[in-house]
Amino acid sequence: MKVAVFDTHRYDREALEASNARFGHALVFFEPRLTAQTAQLAQGFPGVCSFVNDKVDAAALEVLAAGGTRVVALRSAGYNHVDLVAAARLGIRVVRVPEYSPYAVAEHAVALVLALNRRIHQAYARVRDWNFSLDGLVGFDLHGKTVGVVGTGRIGRAAARIFRGFGCRLLCFDVVPDPEVELELGAQYVPLDTLYRDADIITLHVPLTPGTHHLVSAEALGKMKRGVMLINTGRGALIDSRALIEALKRGHMGAAGLDVYEEEEGIFFQDLSGKVLQDDVLARLLTFPNVLVTSHQAFLTREALGNIADTTLGSLQAFERGEPLAHEVKAEQVLRTPAR
Ligand code: NAI
């Protein structure tokens, strides 16, 4: 199938081309993100391949439909950036990659915890400046600390297993608690307020839906323990960034590790060095020594990229052959997602 691949970076292209040796699609790579303005590039392509910061809204989908696109394959698990109702109305099917490596994302969440706790980012810069003093680098033992896992799906569970290995106590919250998680990990499902009250570290692994938008609000932050560490590898808008800044300024928030940011679109995945950062909220977040921001890289392992490519190209092949689409996402699924 002729497929227009948007928001292509070198690592995407390498993984897709390697996998495509088995599928034989005609892949054409475009660097721009998919938006209503760039959708015209896909004129005459029945397949479109898109990533998380594309804006697959009704306007973009209308241009795609008019150009003959019939399937949009997301190279991501999350699908909050797609107007699924408009896609259904226009007869465009949407597929995603529900699972490619929960380990990649969970391990990155834990990497943020370890780096923030032991001030690795500061120690690295300090030692390179020949400053070998230890003042200000005191961390805490993870062993025995309470970790709150919000969302115990594939990634949350993988993260919980790692924290369990460190000897942490696990408190979990999910709209659909899984007794297996309690049995396997000795974890305990508790109401969200209890998790906020008792956890030393909170890690977010729920999808972004209308029900989880700004889940971590000023009110939620106020319920958390003073000195808590908050990790977000889910989606940026799970956290109200302005409220987070206030909590950091007050010293209520001990540290924050953010792989995602609510206004990351147009910033993350780009080299903006040498430019003036226009986003004042992100700029403020970057001034805190106890905040570590990575540019939505939690997924970025060789294994994950290979799995993303295989699943995406496999779904496009299934579509082309008229076979059932195992990884299709439909509007009803989003509307059914329970509110918090
Ligand atoms: P999953 O679907 O396996 O698990 C999500 C869990 O959240 C489920 O157990 C579900 O019941 C729960 N949930 C849904 N709504 C909830 C609510 N309102 N309150 C409490 N729990 C709720 O998803 P998976 O694979 O674990 O991924 C989680 C999220 O991680 C994705 O939706 C995506 O946004 C994000 N992600 C981030 C990546 C990165 O590179 N930073 C890469 C991959 C995923």
Side-chain angles (χ1 to χ4, degrees):
M1 181 192 285
K2 252 183 98 182
V3 183
V5 183
F6 282 85
D7 198 9
T8 312
H9 298 268
R10 198 176 62 216
Y11 46 82
D12 297 309
R13 187 173 181 145
E14 284 170 3
L16 284 164
E17 283 182 336
S19 173
N20 198 36
R22 291 195 286 120
F23 295 98
H25 295 295
L27 304 178
V28 177
F29 296 95
F30 296 107
E31 280 182 22
R33 292 187 297 122
L34 172 59
T35 63
Q37 287 71 41
T38 61
Q40 193 68 31
L41 290 167
Q43 173 94 28
F45 285 81
V48 157
C49 185
S50 145
F51 198 49
V52 288
N53 284 333
D54 292 338
K55 200 167 176 193
V56 197
D57 56 9
L61 286 161
E62 268 156 30
V63 179
L64 292 179
T69 297
R70 289 175 296 132
V71 59
V72 173
L74 310 175
R75 307 196 292 282
S76 58
Y79 46 85
N80 50 285
H81 55 298
V82 184
D83 185 336
L84 293 172
V85 176
R89 175 170 50 82
L90 294 161
I92 294 181
R93 312 223 4 224
V94 179
V95 290
R96 65 172 181 141
V97 186
E99 174 169 355
Y100 42 86
S101 171
Y103 315 109
V105 185
E107 288 168 14
H108 191 77
V110 177
L112 290 173
V113 171
L114 293 172
L116 280 165
N117 176 30
R118 307 306 295 268
R119 315 279 204 274
I120 300 297
H121 53 305
Q122 290 169 292
Y124 173 79
R126 211 181 258 200
V127 167
R128 284 176 69 96
D129 207 20
W130 297 1
N131 174 353
F132 299 100
S133 109
L134 298 183
D135 284 336
L137 300 184
V138 179
F140 55 81
D141 285 6
L142 275 175
H143 183 91
K145 293 295 178 297
T146 300
V147 177
V149 181
V150 181
T152 53
R154 299 174 190 89
I155 297 170
R157 209 171 301 200
R161 275 192 201 106
I162 303 173
F163 285 117
R164 180 76 181 157
F166 279 117
C168 297
R169 173 182 170 233
L170 294 169
L171 296 181
C172 299
F173 175 75
D174 197 298
V175 278
V176 189
D178 181 352
E180 281 291 311
V181 171
E182 294 194 310
L183 272 178
E184 181 200 333
L185 300 169
Q188 191 189 352
Y189 281 98
V190 291
L192 198 50
D193 283 357
T194 309
L195 184 151
Y196 286 159
R197 188 191 65 204
D198 292 349
D200 302 295
I201 297 166
I202 296 175
T203 183
L204 306 179
H205 301 291
V206 288
L208 178 63
T209 65
T212 59
H213 183 265
H214 284 187
L215 177 78
V216 178
S217 58
E219 191 193 345
L221 286 161
K223 292 176 183 169
M224 294 177 190
K225 232 185 211 185
R226 188 171 176 82
V228 66
M229 182 189 290
L230 177 66
I231 303 296
N232 188 9
T233 58
R235 283 289 181 267
L238 295 176
I239 298 179
D240 178 344
S241 308
R242 287 185 169 79
L244 177 63
I245 288 172
E246 289 310 312
L248 284 157
K249 281 165 72 178
R250 283 201 312 279
H252 188 77
M253 174 63 50
L258 311 173
D259 185 52
V260 285
Y261 166 61
E262 54 183 325
E263 304 293 337
E264 68 181 52
E265 202 183 297
I267 301 176
F268 282 16
F269 306 123
Q270 324 282 326
D271 179 0
L272 300 181
S273 53
K275 301 225 167 69
V276 176
L277 186 58
Q278 296 299 322
D279 187 314
D280 292 347
V281 174
L282 179 60
R284 182 67 177 103
L285 280 171
L286 291 171
T287 64
F288 293 100
N290 49 349
V291 171
L292 195 45
V293 176
T294 52
S295 179
H296 206 137
Q297 75 173 75
F299 74 99
L300 198 65
T301 66
R302 276 193 299 275
E303 292 78 1
L305 288 170
N307 292 336
I308 289 170
D310 289 348
T311 305
T312 303
L313 299 180
S315 292
L316 290 167
Q317 184 181 67
F319 176 84
E320 197 174 22
R321 293 179 174 174
E323 292 166 2
L325 296 179
H327 307 308
E328 182 163 18
V329 262
K330 294 187 175 168
E332 304 92 86
Q333 282 168 269
V334 184
L335 299 173
R336 269 205 317 269
T337 306
R340 84 181 119 113

